[in-house]
Amino acid sequence: MQSERKQSKYVCVIGAGPSGLVTTRELRKEGHCVVMMEQNHDVGGQWLYDPNVEGEDPLGRSKFLKVHSSVYASLRLATPREVLGFSDFPFVVKKGRDTRRFPGHRELLWYLEDFCEWFGLRETIRFNTRVEYVGMLDSEVGGGLKWVVRSRDVKSEKVVEELFDAVVVATGQYSHPRLPSIKGMEAWKRKQMHSHIYRFPHPFHNEVVVVVGNSVSGRDISMELVDVAKEIHLGAKSLDISEGLSKVISKHHNLHLHLQIESLHEDGRVVFVDGSWVMADTIIYCTGYSYAFPFLDTKGIVGVGDDRVGPLYEHTFPPSLAPSLSSVGIPRKIIGFPFFESQAIWIAQLLSGRKTLPSFHDMMQSIEDFYRSRDAAGIPKHHTRDIADFEYCDKYLDNVGFPHLEEWRKELILSGIGNAQVNLETYRDAWDDHELLQVALQSPHFTQSLQSPSQHFP
């Protein structure tokens, strides 16, 4: 719904990763005054690689983690670079940088730094600033809602408390480890860690390592360990694995596949559900991440129960607090950057009054219908925010009149996934979608000239 009135709001954006940066860009474009708070020393969020993990809890059970990034040293993108750029800022190859289609993590950080510089966003960011509390002023709910934000300078320890018209949470989704519940886990005396703090393979030289989980990080880490570890035992929920993973296991004599762990024992035994067991030196849990907002106090209105995070209308707005409280970057299994951009545009236009949300009742009904559809499909609660649906993404883009995802973008994603399913070790360096790639590179996304920042901000 459109509205004629336009307002400027004082907005706090928490996090200077991809979602926080594009949100700040869109808020400023719409005429809002923005303060972005970032706990690290630079932009990038998850992509700001941090090798210093020694002081972190190996299982990541602390309320406030010291290490935000879960990126390991050798990590390369699992998605071709062509699909990742924001709508008006393509992720192009630059001389002297990582020119691969599936580049290393540093290349994506450079892209985000370029985006930040091009649109003049750095002036809005308070670095080394950890948000410790976000709460409603006097617990008010409804019109005229204000937000108290308390932050701490991580160097000087100075605490600042401020009042904002709106808060956008853009803190990412891959920092707080999600751990399985395994019998004997607390009593197991040897090394246990989550992949959140894995950085290099060499500390595991000649060890027997159990890797729990065979998604992207579990597969990558297992393949990296085959050259240094004595044995790698990969625990999976099913033995029905992809052709690509099967090829890798057949190739490496020290890599073994098991069904998931049944129990852990004090003497070092790891017993699998099929009755087999190994004496392990280390267990690495590649079991994903949970949503966590330890700073957010909504008096119980927004919860994170088993990672469902809600209630959130269209994965973005808690109905009774919207649009003054919103989130960007919560959905998973999407083409992230364009989706984050559309979320940011919608938030900016709602705050300025150019658009309005449906009624509270209609938003809650939509949320309940969505939950029922997920439950009926047998989707576990902690996968509620896994979208994996191009049609839904296009429907979301319609909320702000944003162009639908280009067909080449969708097809490149599917091509990459299909190649990885068959050629797990080589899909990042060998592919057969050359014609589709040319279609992408000749599209307006890559051929249009970048607008100067002055064309974006008044």
Side-chain angles (χ1 to χ4, degrees):
M1 186 178 296
Q2 298 278 130
S3 176
E4 294 301 319
R5 61 194 173 88
K6 190 171 179 180
Q7 308 163 26
S8 176
K9 297 292 179 68
Y10 187 42
V11 187
C12 176
V13 175
I14 306 173
S19 55
L21 289 172
V22 76
T23 298
T24 297
R25 196 272 298 268
E26 294 303 328
L27 286 166
R28 294 180 76 206
K29 190 193 299 187
E30 190 68 10
H32 300 294
C33 180
V34 186
V35 173
M36 193 171 2
M37 298 188 185
E38 168 55 50
Q39 64 182 344
N40 265 311
H41 65 280
D42 206 348
V43 301
Q46 186 61 225
W47 300 101
L48 183 60
Y49 174 67
D50 184 354
N52 303 310
V53 296
E54 291 77 13
E56 188 63 274
D57 175 355
L59 293 175
R61 293 167 296 192
S62 305
K63 182 178 179 181
F64 288 95
L65 297 177
K66 298 176 183 176
V67 177
H68 179 74
S69 175
S70 298
V71 166
Y72 37 96
S74 66
L75 185 144
R76 290 176 62 184
L77 303 188
T79 304
R81 68 189 304 147
E82 300 83 30
V83 308
L84 289 177
F86 294 117
S87 66
D88 57 354
F89 201 81
F91 190 9
V92 297
V93 171
K94 292 196 173 183
K95 187 177 179 180
R97 293 191 183 178
D98 188 342
T99 61
R100 296 172 294 180
R101 286 192 69 199
F102 294 79
H105 56 84
R106 177 62 183 159
E107 177 70 6
L108 186 51
L109 177 62
W110 279 330
Y111 168 80
L112 294 171
E113 290 174 345
D114 289 345
F115 181 85
C116 182
E117 298 305 324
W118 182 261
F119 293 106
L121 304 180
R122 194 169 288 272
E123 65 191 45
T124 71
I125 308 172
R126 295 182 193 169
F127 291 110
N128 300 303
T129 300
R130 177 178 292 119
V131 174
E132 296 186 338
Y133 173 82
V134 174
M136 297 172 278
L137 180 64
D138 297 326
S139 302
E140 294 178 22
V141 178
L145 190 59
K146 301 284 187 180
W147 293 90
V148 176
V149 176
R150 185 168 66 241
S151 62
R152 181 184 300 271
D153 185 299
V154 297
K155 291 185 174 181
S156 69
E157 293 294 324
K158 180 182 178 182
V159 175
V160 176
E161 195 167 281
E162 298 163 272
L163 198 61
F164 290 89
D165 298 312
V167 172
V168 183
V169 179
T171 51
Q173 51 181 263
Y174 297 112
S175 291
H176 289 263
R178 180 179 177 85
L179 295 169
S181 178
I182 299 173
K183 181 181 177 182
M185 191 171 170
E186 295 298 326
W188 206 70
K189 302 299 183 185
R190 302 189 180 186
K191 186 163 64 176
Q192 298 183 77
M193 59 182 283
H194 191 276
S195 58
H196 172 63
I197 65 163
Y198 174 88
R199 293 296 182 266
F200 302 98
H202 59 77
F204 308 94
H205 177 71
N206 207 33
E207 287 192 357
V208 175
V209 181
V210 173
V211 176
V212 182
N214 70 331
S215 193
V216 177
S217 61
R219 296 192 300 261
D220 276 359
I221 290 171
S222 295
M223 289 190 293
E224 187 167 69
L225 290 173
V226 293
D227 294 327
V228 297
K230 182 179 180 181
E231 299 173 14
I232 304 98
H233 297 267
L234 180 59
K237 291 181 178 179
S238 170
L239 298 182
D240 182 15
I241 58 174
S242 70
E243 179 184 344
L245 182 55
S246 182
K247 286 178 183 177
V248 172
I249 292 171
S250 298
K251 178 179 176 180
H252 299 284
H253 71 278
N254 60 340
L255 177 57
H256 310 277
L257 181 68
H258 301 264
L259 280 172
Q260 55 195 16
I261 297 172
E262 170 70 28
S263 58
L264 304 178
H265 299 264
E266 289 189 54
D267 61 0
R269 279 181 301 145
V270 177
V271 180
F272 300 96
V273 293
D274 62 2
S276 64
W277 59 274
V278 295
M279 295 289 289
D281 298 296
T282 300
I283 300 174
I284 304 176
Y285 295 102
C286 300
T287 46
Y289 296 86
S290 292
Y291 297 102
F293 313 101
F295 53 82
L296 187 59
D297 179 9
T298 61
K299 308 303 180 188
I301 293 173
V302 179
V304 188
D306 198 14
D307 277 353
R308 180 154 270 187
V309 190
L312 288 180
Y313 176 64
E314 300 287 14
H315 310 280
T316 311
F317 305 102
S320 63
L321 303 174
S324 69
L325 179 66
S326 58
S327 63
V328 175
I330 281 182
R332 293 169 172 163
K333 296 189 177 180
I334 53 168
I335 304 180
F337 286 19
F339 193 90
F340 302 159
E341 189 174 358
S342 62
Q343 286 185 293
I345 293 170
W346 198 6
I347 291 167
Q349 293 182 352
L350 286 165
L351 289 175
S352 70
R354 275 219 286 163
K355 289 189 181 294
T356 57
L357 287 167
S359 69
F360 171 80
H361 176 269
D362 287 349
M363 286 193 283
M364 289 303 297
Q365 186 63 55
S366 174
I367 293 167
E368 290 164 13
D369 290 346
F370 173 69
Y371 286 170
R372 275 195 294 270
S373 71
R374 304 299 268 183
D375 294 340
I379 296 171
K381 196 173 179 181
H382 65 273
H383 289 313
T384 296
R385 303 297 168 187
D386 292 1
I387 306 303
D389 183 348
F390 290 140
E391 186 176 338
Y392 172 78
C393 292
D394 283 342
K395 175 177 171 288
Y396 190 100
L397 299 175
D398 288 338
N399 290 312
V400 290
F402 204 64
H404 286 184
L405 293 170
E406 304 94 334
E407 287 304 311
W408 59 258
R409 210 185 281 249
K410 299 174 185 177
E411 291 176 28
L412 279 176
I413 282 281
L414 296 176
S415 173
I417 292 172
N419 194 11
Q421 287 288 313
V422 178
N423 304 298
L424 183 59
E425 279 193 299
T426 61
Y427 78 95
R428 291 180 173 98
D429 295 305
W431 53 86
D432 59 4
D433 56 1
H434 301 281
E435 291 184 7
L436 186 55
L437 175 59
Q438 290 309 308
V439 171
L441 295 179
Q442 292 167 17
S443 71
H445 177 67
F446 285 97
T447 59
Q448 67 187 358
S449 298
L450 287 176
Q451 291 184 331
S452 68
S454 63
Q455 291 174 279
H456 284 270
F457 306 132

